[in-house]
Amino acid sequence: MITDLHKLGIKFFNKSGADMPLTDFIPVFHDWIQNNRLDDLLIDVADYSHVPAGPGTMLIAHEGNYAIDETGNQRGFLYYSKHEVPGDTVAERLASVCYRNLSACKLLEEEERTRDRMSLDYGRMEIFSNDRLHGPRTDEALAAFKPQVEQFLNRLYPHTDYEIDYKNSDPRERLLAKVMIHDAADKADTLLPRTRTDSL
Amino acid sequence: MTSWKNTLSERIPTDLAEEIDAFASQIKLKKQGKVDDKLFAETRLRRGAYGQRYDNGQRHDGIETRELHFPTNATKGPDTLWDAPGMQRIKIPFGGLSTEQMEALADLAEEYSDAICHITTRQDVQLHYVHIDDTPDLMRRLAAVGITTREACGNSVRNVTACPVAGVCHDESFDITPYARAMAYFLLGHPDTQDFGRKFKVAFSGCKDKACGLTNIHDLGLIARKKVIDGKEKRGFEMFVGGGLGPVPYEARLLDEFVAEEEILPLAQAISRVFARLGEKRNRGRARLKFLVDKLGIDEFRRLVIEERKTLPHDDRWIGYLDEVRAWEETPVRKPAELTAVSNDEEFNVWRDSNTYGQRQQGYSVATIRLPLGDITSWQMRQLADVARKYCGDNIRTTVEQNIVLRWVANGDLPALYDELKHLGLAQPGAGTIFDVVSCPGTDTCKLGISSSRGLAGELHERLATRYQQFDSAIQGLHIKISGCFNSCGQHHLADLGFYGVSRKMNGATVPHFRVVLGGQWEQNGGSYGMTIGAVPSKRVPDFIDRITGKYLEERHGNETFQAFVQRIGKRELKKVVDELASVPPYALDPTYYSDWRDPREYSISDIGVGECAGEVVSRIDFDLNNAERLYFEAQLAHEEGALRKADETAFSAMIAAAGGLVRLQNPSIPDDPEQVVPEFRKRYYDTRLFFDKYAGGKFAEYLFNHHEQRNSDLTADRVRLLLEETQLFIEATHACNARLMEQADNERKSTGDKTSARDKTANAANA
């Protein structure tokens, strides 16, 4: 049942800086751990820079994983939850996941070592279920997922139109929505309050 | 409510389903506080659910050790927090994978791990950062595709490994695949394999000369042989026992030069019984079969096994499996075809030269998918399953070199296969070359890691990618294998260029190092182990590789192999190369030496374990340890020259110098007299457990005590070699103990507000 879906992920694609070495993010993530820069319990950094089109450089947390991710040969900033996330509906949980993601993106924007070398496009994203039991890639699950995604996007971009592509030729892949907003994307700072929930 | 248990109930064999349900119940009971920590730890280990670094809730972040405040304080074993991420090891008998299994592994890595499947040096798959609560469902999803994680860890029969080209190889006596499979499932859960003091590893090889099976490093190794008996050709195996790497490597001993195929299962059962009955149980450091075989001698061990064999009640499976052996065959999905034209694609030609192997069967090849550091992403794994379906079907295997091979690929399909692999980022050339660096997880995820083996491997991978094709072919063919500690999971003993992680206290700080092991033999099933030369700072390992390979190219005689070169020039000459790179600049001049590869945290060994406070640290120990290293090196030279008594005595002196160094931290007046050092060391460092390694316990101290008690015993070259290995480990443990004490002193200083650092104190003491 999609109502039980908590393992959710959002990836914002890079606008620039896709050629920045993945290993350059390792010290940044270690600093975040040292200085408790995020709400999650940050555990360690995992380096997969040697794997083509892989999870890149990861910041492993208890609640979820953060990554400069290159899956599909498209670099972006990824966060996905591994445990229950706050929210009564999938849309609210997506907001929680998005909040965590944007909190990290904001840090990257402020980070001296990265801010002039890369930028993210918050108007191009992937939203996915990372749970093939509660959110499988079936017509039924997709029908239930769609309104939740739209509800979340209406909250994230209340005054902007967007396109969503749910198509994926490979049925084994995760339930996924590719999103592109029509207008210029907002900054992480602007988007963050829209995703904040009382329980965060 | 939807659950994997219900969803997959029709697809999971009843016995597997019951086992996993029982494990899920254990988890529930543990959460209710009704299961003892140790018992639960062994329970989960036997299901492949392993601990991971920082699972005690402590992590050094480069500044200090901090607590990881997980949501609960519940534990899943002694000093192991429930919510801390763990590693799930998945046994893949003989490395055999189907496309369906690959897809399942891809999904599990994505949903429960970090979207990476890691292939190990024993043909397993490992997933990292897995929560214990997720493991029952993970196991159910594996069971639904015919995989069990049972006995993947713990004191049990581990994954049965086998040559990845078995059945298609030119050199084999016959295909050992169905035998390896039969052995794996016969021993799995067998009542006679449930009471071991330590793990038990089995390997099969189709021939004696090639590396593939690595039988020499296994508790039980079987090499295929045929023999004519009464005019009829019989299949059987040359059977070896008591091999193993680990801190002290042992080469396997011949148990029987020909065991008929009808007898391999009962004989393995008899060996298991003898091991369970007589193997060490309390001292884990001496509990592997290799120690029992060494203690009893191979003749007595053989006698006991033969006696045990006579007492076994008959089991139909002993020969029942032979029906499956006779029926065993692999079916290609494409008709055989040859490459009809020479390709102009230079990249393809390079890949084909290094990554394909022409099968015995005309028109087919084995294609190796070279995985950097053994890693493949979920997406790649899924796509690779599709590629396999198209070109080779379920004829897929993992390898001990951390790669995947596709077997039965029609030669005519190789260009198309290459193109598809290239699209997936899986067409890297250089399989089996110096570029194909093997590494254990090391400090990335392993609790025992001392230095970053994967960090170093990643760095070498990046540097070699653009250079290795320009190397002389003699260099291209070398093997690099790296372990994060002395436990040898990276199989460094078998490499031309082997490295294992150690630490050194230098300039008042801890510096990551790798000990160099040169000239190991990968061929002949891991025929001989390399020579330990000395340690170089982690950051200088790439320079060391350049220098030693350069020296080899310049000074080799004709077509001399690297192993022969290493043997010929000897340790003294090799040590010079190590010594040229041994120095470390002061921190103020170059701080990069004080952190490890791809880990900018200031290096610390405190994540491995912290002992009790030993009070003030003085610098004489640096001299003592240096002296111990020198003596150890001289002992190695004496061994090399055949002066066994001298080697033994010098090695013991090295141990006394190291132990004396530690003793003098507390009692400066103790001379280097064994009769004073040993009891003082026992009293001050062993009885107090101050010397104890968090995971190895007092094992290394026992090497000293044993050597002290057994002096003047009969010496053989092999015996002295083992004593030298133990000496080296004891000295390493002394370095580690000293480093722990220094760090503790630093921490104490911080907590009491003392402005003088341990480093300064060391310097002051040295000046004094």
Side-chain angles (χ1 to χ4, degrees), chain B residues 239-283:
Chain B
M239 213 179 217
F240 292 84
V241 290
L245 295 180
V248 182
Y250 282 65
E251 291 180 23
R253 312 280 175 90
L254 181 65
L255 183 78
D256 195 327
E257 62 181 20
F258 186 82
V259 178
E261 58 186 351
E262 297 86 354
E263 272 299 303
I264 61 168
L265 298 188
L267 214 54
Q269 187 181 343
I271 291 167
S272 301
R273 281 191 170 196
V274 172
F275 179 43
R277 194 173 67 240
L278 299 178
E280 175 64 46
K281 296 274 169 50
R282 275 178 295 184
N283 182 353

Side-chain angles (χ1 to χ4, degrees), chain A residues 1 27 30 33-34 41 43-44 47-52 54 62 80 83 130 132-133 170 172-174, chain B residues 2 54 59 61 66 69-71 103 107 110-111 114 131 372 375 377 379 382 386 425 454 598 600-601:
Chain A
M1 289 280 286
H30 275 290
I33 298 175
Q34 279 174 352
L41 169 60
I43 300 173
D44 204 11
D47 168 27
Y48 291 117
S49 58
H50 51 277
V51 184
H62 170 70
Y80 57 91
H83 298 284
N130 196 27
R132 287 174 175 81
L133 181 69
D170 191 342
R172 298 166 303 179
E173 291 293 339
R174 296 176 288 201
Chain B
T2 321
Y54 317 125
R59 180 180 182 274
D61 66 6
R66 295 196 197 182
H69 295 284
F70 288 105
E103 287 169 345
D107 291 354
E110 214 163 49
E111 291 175 48
D114 54 4
H131 196 284
D375 291 341
T377 72
W379 179 78
R382 218 172 271 126
D386 285 345
R454 273 172 66 89
R598 304 193 172 196
R601 289 176 291 171

Side-chain angles (χ1 to χ4, degrees), chain B residues 351-455:
Chain B
W351 175 82
R352 195 185 60 166
D353 283 349
S354 60
N355 290 41
T356 64
Y357 167 81
Q359 291 186 191
R360 186 173 74 232
Q361 296 83 0
Q362 193 78 27
Y364 289 104
S365 286
V366 176
T368 300
I369 316 299
R370 204 183 78 68
L371 303 177
L373 280 62
D375 291 341
I376 179 168
T377 72
S378 290
W379 179 78
Q380 285 175 321
M381 189 70 119
R382 218 172 271 126
Q383 298 300 315
L384 185 59
D386 285 345
V387 170
R389 274 192 188 95
K390 189 168 167 186
Y391 294 105
C392 71
D394 285 339
N395 301 310
I396 309 149
R397 300 211 186 163
T398 57
T399 80
V400 295
E401 292 187 277
Q402 301 182 299
N403 293 325
I404 290 177
V405 294
L406 305 182
R407 301 147 55 93
W408 296 96
V409 178
N411 292 337
D413 287 336
L414 286 173
L417 172 70
Y418 173 76
D419 285 344
E420 294 202 31
L421 292 176
K422 200 173 168 186
H423 174 68
L424 305 180
L426 291 173
Q428 285 191 343
T433 70
I434 194 169
F435 183 35
D436 199 359
V437 180
V438 166
S439 165
C440 73
T443 50
D444 274 21
T445 51
C446 177
K447 294 208 267 194
L448 307 177
I450 295 172
S451 302
S452 179
S453 46
R454 273 172 66 89

Side-chain angles (χ1 to χ4, degrees), chain A residues 87-159:
Chain A
D88 293 334
T89 64
V90 170
E92 286 174 13
R93 291 171 208 151
L94 280 172
S96 300
V97 165
C98 191
Y99 179 82
R100 287 191 155 95
N101 189 328
L102 288 168
S103 301
C105 293
K106 185 168 172 283
L107 284 183
L108 270 186
E109 285 179 359
E110 294 164 355
E111 171 60 50
E112 218 170 83
R113 288 166 285 190
T114 56
R115 67 183 172 209
D116 297 329
R117 301 167 67 197
M118 63 157 289
S119 60
L120 294 162
D121 180 353
Y122 302 106
R124 283 193 309 133
M125 71 190 97
E126 276 182 357
I127 299 169
F128 61 88
S129 146
N130 196 27
D131 180 346
R132 287 174 175 81
L133 181 69
H134 298 110
R137 191 170 181 79
T138 60
D139 291 345
E140 189 188 357
L142 181 60
F145 191 52
K146 275 180 177 176
Q148 297 295 321
V149 170
E150 284 165 28
Q151 201 179 323
F152 158 67
L153 286 171
N154 291 340
R155 177 173 169 176
L156 190 67
Y157 281 105
H159 309 297

